[in-house]
Amino acid sequence: MKKSDLAALLLLGALWGASFLFMRMGADQFGGMALAGLRAIGAALCSLPLLASRERLAEMRRHWRPIVVVGMSNSALPFVLFSYAAMSLPAGVSAISDAIGPLLVALSGWLWLGEKLDGARSAGLAVGFAGVVWLIAGSVGFGHGGGSAWAMAACVGANVCYAFGAHYGQRRLRGVSPLAVATGSQLAAAIALLPLTVWLWPAKMPGAQAWFAMFGLAAACTSLAYVLFYRLMARVGATRTLAVLYLIPVFGALWGLLFLGEPVTLSMAGGCVVILLGVALTTGLIRPRSLPAATPEQA
């Protein structure tokens, strides 16, 4: 990966890590469904100016079916599931679950698509997953009650959606402009979630802090972040791009500590270090001499 791609990966991790902070700030007042719907609607409105050219509009018309599928799997469903989880889980704990994504992408690609992984990337996935286990062991126990158990299940479900969307988008939307995919998918998610957002609108109007969280979630963590995400997908592929999900727990725990006062244990900090090592191996930033480089068939 080039330095510009690595910089984009870090920025994307910071933005998506902040999304859990904003969801935690707004979910209690908006409710999970209304917050998810406003996130998609706001992101779609922010992204519309990016489609100023007829070429981008023509791309969306030609590829609208796979764009809708990506919108459901990469936006609508994960937004709802993560917003539901944010009502009972701390921001840092919800963010931890995102690091499962690269493992799901790699395993699904190997099992269903026959994709191969070289030694360094396989080692990176293993190291990153070990860091996730370390983080979960240090922050999530078994005494949180049924609500938190369902919330964690929702986080896992959201990552399954991301894994499917990553492979589907790479195969069906190869060569399509990242701006067209990002904007079209948010429009599809907004249209799908609008009826439920109106139906489940909170009885009491949310306060200023909740609205601020919603705008940050829609504009920065969704509109801008998804443009970066699909651009990286087009440049470096699904497996390398989904390595960003290893960074999200680090930033999610950091933002939760700084802005919500959520505790960060020594075990969580150690897990973050291991996760960063997994990212470096998966993206090729570190390649041990004992591990072979990818062959053309594996790249």
Side-chain angles (χ1 to χ4, degrees), residues 88-197:
S88 57
L89 289 180
V93 174
S94 295
I96 287 170
S97 68
D98 257 19
I100 302 171
L103 179 66
L104 294 174
V105 170
L107 289 178
S108 61
W110 175 61
L111 289 172
W112 300 334
L113 306 177
E115 294 182 353
K116 297 180 180 180
L117 295 172
D118 67 343
R121 291 185 199 172
S122 298
L125 291 170
V127 170
F129 181 72
V132 175
V133 173
W134 190 346
L135 274 172
I136 291 175
S139 58
V140 181
F142 294 98
H144 290 278
S148 292
W150 281 110
M152 285 300 298
C155 290
V156 174
N159 280 284
V160 172
C161 293
Y162 282 143
F164 169 80
H167 282 305
Y168 182 87
Q170 188 178 24
R171 293 174 69 88
R172 296 295 301 275
L173 294 170
R174 188 184 299 273
V176 180
S177 165
L179 292 179
V181 177
T183 304
S185 62
Q186 295 310 316
L187 282 171
I191 293 170
L193 296 179
L194 177 59
L196 291 172
T197 302

Side-chain angles (χ1 to χ4, degrees), residues 33 41 189-201:
M33 181 59 69
I41 294 167
I191 293 170
L193 296 179
L194 177 59
L196 291 172
T197 302
V198 174
W199 183 34
L200 297 175
W201 188 257

Side-chain angles (χ1 to χ4, degrees), residues 251-294:
F251 285 106
L254 176 62
W255 302 148
L257 170 67
L258 293 178
F259 297 103
L260 299 178
E262 295 178 356
V264 176
T265 65
L266 181 61
S267 178
M268 291 173 67
C272 288
V273 173
V274 176
I275 285 172
L276 289 174
L277 176 60
V279 173
L281 288 168
T282 304
T283 57
L285 183 62
I286 296 176
R287 184 175 296 281
R289 293 180 181 179
S290 59
L291 293 175

